[in-house]
Amino acid sequence: NTMKRQWIYSFCVMGLSVSAFAGLDFDDVIVEYWAGQGVNEAMIVLDFDEGLSYAFGYKWDGEKTSYDALLALDAYSSAFDMTSHWDDGVGGYLIDDLDYLGTSKRGAEWSFFTASDGLNWASSWFGASDRDLGDGDWDGWSSGEWVWVGPGDWDWAFTGTVTTPAVPEPTAMALLGLGSMAVLRKRS
């Protein structure tokens, strides 16, 4: 009987591990709203603090940038607010602040991230007005602070990360249910 329980636990852990590496589809995300119209779709994620992220869908035709997506999200809802300014030094728009529903954030600055799967985020080498969006792209913004980690002039790190607000997938829920049933059965 103990051996049977160990097999059930092992199956649940393996199933959860495999599902974690699959990446996310847009259908796996809790989306606040979709802005724009068109055949192309991108997901924009704002991460204000640990466990406090919001995802927004953007649809378009033709060529658009991540900055265009932020403009559309800002125009669509009064609950979303973006402030930005043109910077001649970088030849593009800089994002000064992002707000949704008055949510407090972990730091005074925002940093731009991209991902191909909604899970593995990396700091973007482009600004929002320079990033051409493609169908299926994931763009993320994280609040935080830039801190110097020395010893060189360019040794800076950002304190924030992006976490996508995902809907628990059916496989994970089923495996958690099986594990719970096994524990409850053991107690009776």
Side-chain angles (χ1 to χ4, degrees), residues 29-34 43 53-57 76 100-101 165:
V29 179
I30 301 169
V31 179
E32 296 297 307
Y33 60 82
W34 286 86
M43 192 63 61
S53 297
Y54 299 99
F56 305 88
Y76 185 85
Y100 183 63
L101 300 173

Side-chain angles (χ1 to χ4, degrees), residues 33 35-36 67-82:
Y33 60 82
Y67 185 71
D68 293 321
L70 291 173
L71 286 173
L73 294 170
D74 187 23
Y76 185 85
S77 172
S78 62
F80 188 104
D81 186 47
M82 176 192 66

Side-chain angles (χ1 to χ4, degrees), residues 2-187:
T2 303
M3 185 68 153
K4 185 177 180 182
R5 259 189 240 116
Q6 287 177 341
W7 277 105
I8 291 172
Y9 294 143
S10 297
F11 174 74
C12 290
V13 169
M14 285 183 351
L16 286 171
S17 298
V18 169
S19 66
F21 293 109
L24 297 174
D25 292 324
F26 292 165
D27 293 336
D28 299 329
V29 179
I30 301 169
V31 179
E32 296 297 307
Y33 60 82
W34 286 86
Q37 296 179 359
V39 296
N40 299 308
E41 296 181 347
M43 192 63 61
I44 311 298
V45 178
L46 301 185
D47 191 315
F48 288 89
D49 204 346
E50 300 302 319
L52 193 55
S53 297
Y54 299 99
F56 305 88
Y58 175 58
K59 296 181 180 190
W60 78 98
D61 288 323
E63 295 181 10
K64 297 291 182 181
T65 65
S66 187
Y67 185 71
D68 293 321
L70 291 173
L71 286 173
L73 294 170
D74 187 23
Y76 185 85
S77 172
S78 62
F80 188 104
D81 186 47
M82 176 192 66
T83 54
S84 63
H85 72 276
W86 179 264
D87 186 295
D88 287 331
V90 297
Y93 286 95
L94 296 180
I95 306 304
D96 298 319
D97 199 15
L98 296 164
D99 181 59
Y100 183 63
L101 300 173
T103 305
S104 61
K105 54 190 179 190
R106 73 171 72 88
E109 300 178 59
W110 288 92
S111 190
F112 184 37
F113 294 82
T114 60
S116 61
D117 61 2
L119 294 175
N120 299 301
W121 295 93
S123 187
S124 176
W125 289 95
F126 298 99
S129 56
D130 294 322
R131 167 143 159 88
D132 293 327
L133 282 179
D135 189 36
D137 278 350
W138 295 80
D139 285 2
W141 292 87
S142 177
S143 66
E145 301 288 343
W146 284 99
V147 293
W148 184 71
V149 293
D153 291 341
W154 291 95
D155 295 334
W156 290 83
F158 194 71
T159 59
T161 59
V162 178
T163 304
T164 307
V167 175
E169 64 172 309
T171 304
M173 296 307 292
L175 292 174
L176 288 173
L178 282 173
S180 299
M181 287 181 1
V183 169
L184 291 174
R185 184 170 178 217
K186 180 180 177 184
R187 289 184 181 175

